[in-house]
């Protein structure tokens, strides 16, 4: 198993410079308590208060001594990223914009199951970077450019805040985590921020933290092939691939990282993830495929996709394109999407069509950008190039 470097606590962003316990692993937290002259088991106690009950005030942690409560209050804090603003959609979708250290902004989106049940499925889409370096041509977030990686506290803090939004009026010891599923599918490419992402997912799975099932935590990648092999060795979570094209020529255009890691390498890494590196019996890879009218949605494209995936246990999730200003694409028609889906279903694949949610708050797939500042000016330059082409058309 590849050894993951220790993720130490990050300093809080307030003036006190206390050690932020949010994002620390159980082992690191145990070492922290030893450094205070305490037993390592205190880590388990404090983790439960932080993650299961959403408590940040050490004086509310009733099973630790008054002396330790006072000591923790002096040297430590539990500091999630600051909520800059939040929006709740009429369909139940929730979106948060977080301000992280340095003033950067990132977003997370929670999508509840359509049944509307209080304790039904609630899936949180989490960001791993400020912006994204990959510049996929159909993604609004990619047009913002890349600013920096998020640390573990900033990643796991998004889940902490989402759960807290269901806990605010409940007594601490009566609280229950409501987020049932997490997808590392927000802003950024998770495998390009590897160590903090794996550390955060480990907390999601830890029974003393969020205790999510490994099948309910999904990492989505555009195809950083070497890190896919590392991931298979380091943690057992579900894998999704942002594919979007069934051949290299088209994928080079839509997902530029394909030029470095072409489809043959990507599919080989996906097979290794399922079978070879850490065998996952009866498991599959989710294939994400955005539907772009007249670009990748023909019957021939569907048949090419069937051939590409024939030996890879997979299910396909078709995603209607979500337009954004100056985007050079249109959404495929419902009839075209269903025709594409039928070809896959008839070939024996499980193929679903994602229902677009959160349109009224720009919370749909590919729209995670909102109020995020474009410090690289990539979006402005891209919009200027679109305007020039239109002026000369």
């Amino acid at each position: 198993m590849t050894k993951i470097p220790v993720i130490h606590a990050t300093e809080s962003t307030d003036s006190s410079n206390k050690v932020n316990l949010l994002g620390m692993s159980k082992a690191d937290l145990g070492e922290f308590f030893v450094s205070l002259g305490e037993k390592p088991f205190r880590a388990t106690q404090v983790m439960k208060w932080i993650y299961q009950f959403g408590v940040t005030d050490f004086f509310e942690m009733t099973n630790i001594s008054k002396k330790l409560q006072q000591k923790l209050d002096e040297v430590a804090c539990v500091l999630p990223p600051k909520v800059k603003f939040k929006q709740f959609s009429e369909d139940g979708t929730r979106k948060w914009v977080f301000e992280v250290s340095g003033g950067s902004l990132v977003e997370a989106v929670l999508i509840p199951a359509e049944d509307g049940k209080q304790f039904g499925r609630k899936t949180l889409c989490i960001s791993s970077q400020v912006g994204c370096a990959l510049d996929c041509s159909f993604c609004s977030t990619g047009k913002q450019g890349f600013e920096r990686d998020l640390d573990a506290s900033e990643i796991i803090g998004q889940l902490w805040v989402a759960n807290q939004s269901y806990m605010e009026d409940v007594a601490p010891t009566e609280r229950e985590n409501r987020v049932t599923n997490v997808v590392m599918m927000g802003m950024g490419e998770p495998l390009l921020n590897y160590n903090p992402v794996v550390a955060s997912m480990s907390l999601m799975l830890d029974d003393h933290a969020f205790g999510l099932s490994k099948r309910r935590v999904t990492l989505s990648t555009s195809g950083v092939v070497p890190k896919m092999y590392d991931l298979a060795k380091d943690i057992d979570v579900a894998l999704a691939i942002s594919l979007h094209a069934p051949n290299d020529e088209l994928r080079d255009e839509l997902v530029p990282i394909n030029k470095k890691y072409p489809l043959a390498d990507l599919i080989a890494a996906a097979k290794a993830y399922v079978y070879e590196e850490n065998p996952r019996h009866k498991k599959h890879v989710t294939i994400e495929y955005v539907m772009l009218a007249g670009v990748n949605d023909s019957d021939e494209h569907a048949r090419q996709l069937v051939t590409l995936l024939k030996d890879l246990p997979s299910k396909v999730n078709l995603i209607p394109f979500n337009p954004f200003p100056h985007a050079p694409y249109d959404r495929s028609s419902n009839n075209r999407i269903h025709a594409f889906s039928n070809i896959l279903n008839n070939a024996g694949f499980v193929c679903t069509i994602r229902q677009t949610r959160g349109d009224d708050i720009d919370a749909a797939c590919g729209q995670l950008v909102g109020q995020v500042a474009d410090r690289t000016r990539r979006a402005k330059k891209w919009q200027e190039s679109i305007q020039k082409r239109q002026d000369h058309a």
Side-chain angles (χ1 to χ4, degrees):
M1 180 175 291
T2 302
K3 182 174 176 58
I4 304 173
V6 173
I7 304 297
H8 294 288
T10 57
E11 295 298 313
S12 74
T13 56
D14 66 4
S15 59
S16 65
N17 290 321
K18 296 178 179 179
V19 176
N20 188 5
L21 304 187
L22 192 68
M24 294 180 72
S25 69
K26 183 164 55 181
D28 290 346
L29 200 54
E31 291 179 7
F32 172 75
F33 278 105
V34 169
S35 75
L36 297 181
E38 297 286 337
K39 298 294 185 182
F41 76 85
R42 295 297 184 191
T44 298
Q45 293 176 308
V46 172
M47 284 180 72
K48 289 182 177 179
W49 284 108
I50 294 173
Y51 298 111
Q52 297 180 8
F53 302 135
V55 171
T56 60
D57 185 345
F58 297 117
F59 294 105
E60 293 184 16
M61 300 180 181
T62 54
N63 61 347
I64 61 177
S65 69
K66 296 289 186 182
K67 181 180 178 181
L68 179 55
Q69 289 175 346
Q70 182 64 45
K71 187 183 297 184
L72 288 172
D73 187 61
E74 292 171 357
V75 302
C77 64
V78 179
L79 190 67
K82 178 182 178 181
V83 177
K84 192 72 172 178
F85 65 87
K86 59 185 177 182
Q87 292 175 290
F88 290 2
S89 169
E90 293 181 358
D91 65 16
T93 301
R94 301 182 176 192
K95 182 173 80 168
W96 292 268
V97 174
F98 298 98
E99 181 177 327
V100 294
S101 62
S104 300
L105 303 177
V106 297
E107 298 183 8
V109 171
L110 184 142
I111 303 173
E114 293 186 39
D115 56 24
K117 294 179 180 178
Q118 182 181 9
F119 293 96
R121 186 179 74 252
K122 292 179 175 63
T123 301
L124 183 67
C125 184
I126 286 181
S127 294
S128 57
Q129 296 177 314
V130 182
C132 184
L134 297 190
D135 196 21
C136 296
S137 64
F138 53 85
C139 180
S140 176
T141 304
K143 300 309 171 190
Q144 291 298 309
F146 171 75
E147 188 175 334
R148 72 170 179 86
D149 293 328
L150 298 182
D151 66 30
S153 70
E154 294 165 338
I155 296 170
I156 203 67
Q158 297 169 61
L159 175 54
W160 189 93
V161 168
N163 271 316
Q164 187 71 7
S165 71
Y166 293 98
M167 295 178 172
E168 292 169 349
D169 299 323
V170 181
T173 55
E174 297 175 6
R175 293 173 177 173
E176 296 181 62
N177 289 328
R178 297 289 185 86
V179 177
T180 62
N181 298 64
V182 174
V183 290
M184 299 300 304
M185 202 179 292
M187 297 173 63
E189 164 55 59
L191 292 184
L192 291 181
N193 186 21
Y194 188 80
N195 291 330
V197 164
V198 172
S200 299
M201 292 191 301
S202 296
L203 282 171
M204 296 172 196
L205 302 179
D206 194 309
D207 288 339
H208 297 113
F210 291 105
L212 294 174
S213 162
K214 61 186 179 182
R215 293 299 137 229
R216 293 179 179 269
V217 177
T218 301
L219 182 141
S220 174
T221 179
S222 293
V224 185
V225 168
K227 289 298 182 182
M228 291 172 65
Y229 287 100
D230 290 342
L231 189 72
K233 298 174 183 177
D234 291 334
I235 194 168
D236 187 4
V237 294
L239 179 68
I241 295 175
S242 294
L243 192 69
H244 311 305
N247 61 69
D248 282 318
E249 181 180 5
L250 180 56
R251 197 165 191 268
D252 285 351
E253 175 187 340
L254 300 179
V255 187
I257 197 174
N258 193 73
K259 298 173 184 177
K260 187 172 185 179
Y261 305 116
L263 283 172
D265 295 342
L266 176 57
I267 297 302
K271 291 178 182 177
Y273 192 87
V274 174
Y275 290 126
E276 297 171 14
E277 298 291 343
N278 188 4
R280 292 157 166 78
H281 302 294
K282 299 182 180 178
K283 298 302 184 288
H284 63 269
V285 173
T286 298
I287 300 297
E288 297 157 353
Y289 195 100
V290 66
M291 298 296 290
L292 306 171
V295 176
N296 66 349
D297 63 348
S298 70
D299 287 355
E300 178 57 26
H301 289 129
R303 288 189 287 267
Q304 290 177 9
L305 189 58
V306 168
T307 300
L308 180 69
L309 302 177
K310 65 179 180 179
D311 296 321
L312 175 66
S314 56
K315 72 174 186 178
V316 181
N317 187 12
L318 301 181
I319 306 170
F321 173 63
N322 297 300
F324 57 91
H326 305 289
Y329 303 111
D330 294 315
R331 177 183 296 185
S332 301
S333 69
N334 288 337
N335 287 342
R336 181 89 299 268
I337 294 174
H338 283 284
F340 195 98
S341 175
N342 288 339
I343 292 173
L344 291 165
N345 286 325
N346 290 337
F349 288 89
V350 174
C351 181
T352 59
I353 301 172
R354 180 179 297 177
Q355 298 299 309
T356 300
R357 307 286 296 278
D359 277 348
D360 56 327
I361 59 172
D362 289 337
C365 182
Q367 290 183 326
L368 288 190
V369 58
Q371 304 298 318
V372 176
D374 178 16
R375 298 187 179 181
T376 68
R377 296 188 71 249
R378 178 189 284 175
K380 183 176 181 181
K381 293 176 182 176
W382 176 71
Q383 291 170 6
E384 289 173 350
S385 69
I386 293 290
Q387 187 61 51
K388 286 181 180 179
R389 287 202 297 270
Q390 292 175 343
D391 292 343
H392 289 87

